[in-house]
Amino acid sequence: MTDPKIIVAIDSINQDQALNIIDQLDPKLCMIKIGSINFNSLGTLCIHKACEKGFDIFLDLKLHDIPNTVKESILGLRHLPISMLTIHTSGGLDMMRAAVEGVEGTNIKIFGVTALTSLSDSDSERIFRRDIRTQVGSLLDLAEEGGIDGVVCSPHELELLSLRKSLLSVTPGIRLKNFNDDQKRVMTPREAIELGADYIVIGRPITSSENINKSLNEIYLSIQ
Ligand code: C5P
């Protein structure tokens, strides 16, 4: 049984395009991430199709609300064939504990987003009045105390995470070389894995490439 470390984000609102991307991927090499772009337009369709093809599924809805709302939302999602689900750690301790209660009795792991990988240090100063490392550090402490399974952070914060052994890591913000988009705190797949990432999330570098299957294979080989 393989345990893919690569999670490919299927960020499309178009059913044919999303299913076509899923068809070109290999469940032995990657998991599938369904986020709000796909879920809000196509509902559970891609989750079921990906599950039929043997993929493990990460549902990245980044729930961020009061504890009761988060728990009830999760009760409405827990029947889906998913193995990971996201909330925001900044929802606080009670909210994280409510999320954990929501998945009790299932195998679904809860991951908490810390600081989005699209934020730079100066964004962090403006939003939180402190640098990213300090912000992420305090959210990691909260995540540990809240009893969730892992966090979503940039590979740049993996070193901070290594001090908190109970938390698994998912790192988006993965880029191969030249890029010009909304991601700010980025690293290559290999660098992230070498720093200890349990999972790396990759969207556009794979899904926008001319040969999706080849890109996935190359990235897979680069992290072996
Ligand atoms: O296309 P790209 O590789 O930037 O896709 C990254 C994916 O990871 C997107 O679906 C995005 O919503 C998600 N994500 C992120 N940063 C986070 C959490 C999730 O980029 N902190």
Side-chain angles (χ1 to χ4, degrees):
M1 178 72 186
T2 50
D3 180 18
K5 285 177 170 290
I6 301 172
I7 305 178
V8 180
I10 311 296
D11 287 331
S12 173
I13 61 170
N14 179 292
Q15 179 174 323
D16 291 343
Q17 188 185 34
L19 294 179
N20 182 34
I21 295 170
I22 293 170
D23 268 343
Q24 295 177 66
L25 300 170
D26 179 348
K28 290 195 285 306
L29 306 190
C30 70
M31 289 176 59
I32 294 282
K33 181 173 94 73
I34 300 295
S36 55
I37 296 179
N38 186 285
F39 194 82
N40 290 348
S41 51
L42 302 175
T44 58
L45 178 111
C46 288
I47 294 179
H48 291 297
K49 292 281 182 195
C51 174
E52 278 166 26
K53 289 178 188 295
F55 287 99
D56 252 359
I57 297 156
F58 176 29
L59 182 57
D60 182 25
L61 296 182
K62 297 188 180 67
L63 301 174
H64 192 183
D65 213 311
I66 60 172
N68 180 63
T69 302
V70 166
K71 182 174 173 181
E72 292 291 322
S73 299
I74 292 175
L75 294 180
L77 295 167
R78 54 180 271 154
H79 66 285
L80 292 170
I82 56 174
S83 52
M84 294 153 74
L85 175 66
T86 49
I87 59 171
H88 267 280
T89 53
S90 54
L93 263 186
D94 288 347
M95 185 268 243
M96 283 190 268
R97 288 180 177 141
V100 171
E101 281 173 23
V103 292
E104 243 164 40
T106 74
N107 290 324
I108 302 171
K109 290 189 163 65
I110 298 284
F111 284 77
V113 176
T114 55
L116 294 169
T117 46
S118 54
L119 299 179
S120 65
D121 239 324
S122 70
D123 291 323
S124 178
E125 291 288 352
R126 293 197 69 181
I127 302 168
F128 311 117
R129 298 256 180 252
R130 52 189 183 169
D131 61 55
I132 291 264
R133 284 178 66 83
T134 314
Q135 174 70 7
V136 172
S138 71
L139 292 171
L140 293 179
D141 288 341
L142 268 187
E144 256 198 327
E145 210 180 323
I148 60 175
D149 299 283
V151 291
V152 184
C153 63
S154 153
H156 291 273
E157 288 105 40
L158 284 168
E159 186 203 329
L160 288 176
L161 189 57
S162 65
L163 308 170
R164 289 130 175 125
K165 299 264 180 257
S166 68
L167 294 170
L168 292 167
S169 57
V170 170
T171 60
I174 301 295
R175 289 294 178 264
L176 300 174
K177 38 184 184 279
N178 299 338
F179 71 97
N180 181 16
D181 59 29
D182 51 354
Q183 295 285 16
K184 304 258 175 59
R185 305 195 324 283
V186 302
M187 263 190 210
T188 66
R190 193 181 173 91
E191 286 167 337
I193 293 291
E194 279 175 351
L195 285 169
D198 293 302
Y199 302 94
I200 54 176
V201 171
I202 314 176
R204 290 160 289 180
I206 289 179
T207 57
S208 302
S209 74
E210 276 178 16
N211 188 331
I212 289 176
N213 186 267
K214 182 163 168 263
S215 301
L216 172 62
N217 268 282
E218 283 172 3
I219 293 173
Y220 179 81
L221 290 175
S222 81
I223 61 168
Q224 298 312 304

